[in-house]
Amino acid sequence: MKHTPTHKPRPMVDLIVSIILPSVILMKLSGEDQLGVQGGLIAALALPLSWGIFELIKYKKFNFIALLGLISVLLTGGIGLLELDTKWLAIKEAAIPAVIGMAVLISTFTPYPLVRALLLNADIMDVETIKKKLEENNSAVEFEKRLMKATYFVAGSFAFSAFMNYVLARWIVVSPAGTAAFNEELGQLTLYSYPMIALPSMVMMMGIFYYLMRSINKMTGLKLEELVGKK
């Protein structure tokens, strides 16, 4: 049986391929004397789209977030190539994190809550030991309440992203789709969304993770090194 490679996060490569290079192409190579409006848009969108498909095929692992990212790229391309009203771009920018946030909330009514899967991951944490200690200390119910609170925090962080995405898109992208100005503004949107939206959202997620770790430590008495999953 052919071994599937283990996925290793490469944030710098992701940043360059998905944000920096597409932004440069949109802002600098969309003129008529270069790639042209449609050529520049297609080239810029092809980078994150190809990278996302490559990752999904190579590692053969379904990734809900990655799938939404691919859908986002395809929708952006459709809006630009079909020259739709730019309000649809703002709606699309807000819709992706909004869908994720709603999925987080809805998942709490299923046997597979997303926050539990993300924050209580058996690949990085000794989940069985944590459960055992919670039961021994009669803290399982209280921990579930804190986990639900963390769920609301995560959903809130995606609500923040949805609102900021919409505001930023309406503020920056004002030129008609199908023009060089639209491509340049789309490139600016891609660049600005990282420090103005992605980084604050990342800080929020780190804060939520810290809150959960502090809760586990308080309720189980386990130290950080004891929480890490044993391989």
Side-chain angles (χ1 to χ4, degrees):
M1 180 181 290
K2 189 177 179 181
H3 176 67
T4 301
T6 301
H7 182 268
K8 295 180 180 179
R10 291 168 287 187
M12 282 306 300
V13 176
D14 292 338
L15 183 65
I16 292 171
V17 174
S18 300
I19 295 177
I20 295 176
L21 288 179
S23 298
V24 170
I25 292 172
L26 287 168
M27 292 188 292
K28 303 298 182 183
L29 300 177
S30 294
E32 292 301 327
D33 55 338
Q34 287 120 5
L35 296 176
V37 175
Q38 292 190 345
L41 181 61
I42 292 172
L45 296 175
L47 282 171
L49 180 62
S50 301
W51 181 248
I53 293 174
F54 166 77
E55 292 255 300
L56 288 173
I57 293 175
K58 182 175 181 179
Y59 299 109
K60 296 180 175 61
K61 187 175 181 181
F62 178 77
N63 188 315
F64 178 69
I65 306 298
L67 179 62
L68 282 178
L70 292 179
I71 293 173
S72 177
V73 169
L74 292 173
L75 289 175
T76 299
I79 291 168
L81 295 174
L82 297 175
E83 301 181 9
L84 302 179
D85 193 300
T86 53
K87 72 178 182 182
W88 291 109
L89 178 67
I91 292 171
K92 186 276 297 182
E93 289 292 314
I96 298 299
V99 167
I100 298 174
M102 287 190 293
V104 167
L105 290 176
I106 293 172
S107 71
T108 62
F109 299 101
T110 73
Y112 309 103
L114 288 175
V115 169
R116 182 183 292 276
L118 289 171
L119 302 181
L120 274 183
N121 193 323
D123 290 334
I124 59 174
M125 299 180 66
D126 191 348
V127 176
E128 290 305 316
T129 298
I130 292 171
K131 287 181 178 179
K132 182 179 178 181
K133 285 291 184 180
L134 287 171
E135 290 172 0
E136 288 177 357
N137 297 338
N138 296 317
S139 299
V141 174
E142 178 62 25
F143 178 72
E144 288 299 323
K145 291 179 181 179
R146 297 205 180 192
L147 195 61
M148 183 59 69
K149 187 179 291 186
T151 297
Y152 295 144
F153 289 155
V154 170
S157 73
F158 283 112
F160 164 80
S161 294
F163 174 75
M164 289 300 298
N165 276 352
Y166 182 84
V167 170
L168 201 63
R170 294 294 284 177
W171 175 45
I172 293 177
V173 184
V174 295
S175 300
T179 64
F182 171 82
N183 279 15
E184 183 172 351
E185 290 162 4
L186 187 58
Q188 292 173 355
L189 175 65
T190 304
L191 275 182
Y192 294 162
S193 65
Y194 189 76
M196 294 181 68
I197 299 172
L199 286 181
S201 297
M202 194 180 302
V203 170
M204 290 181 193
M205 292 298 292
M206 290 173 63
I208 295 167
F209 187 74
Y210 176 76
Y211 165 78
L212 195 61
M213 291 300 97
R214 289 279 295 175
S215 298
I216 293 174
N217 170 256
K218 183 178 179 180
M219 295 179 182
T220 65
L222 296 171
K223 296 179 181 179
L224 179 60
E225 57 269 22
E226 295 174 302
L227 296 177
V228 176
K230 298 176 177 61
K231 300 298 180 185

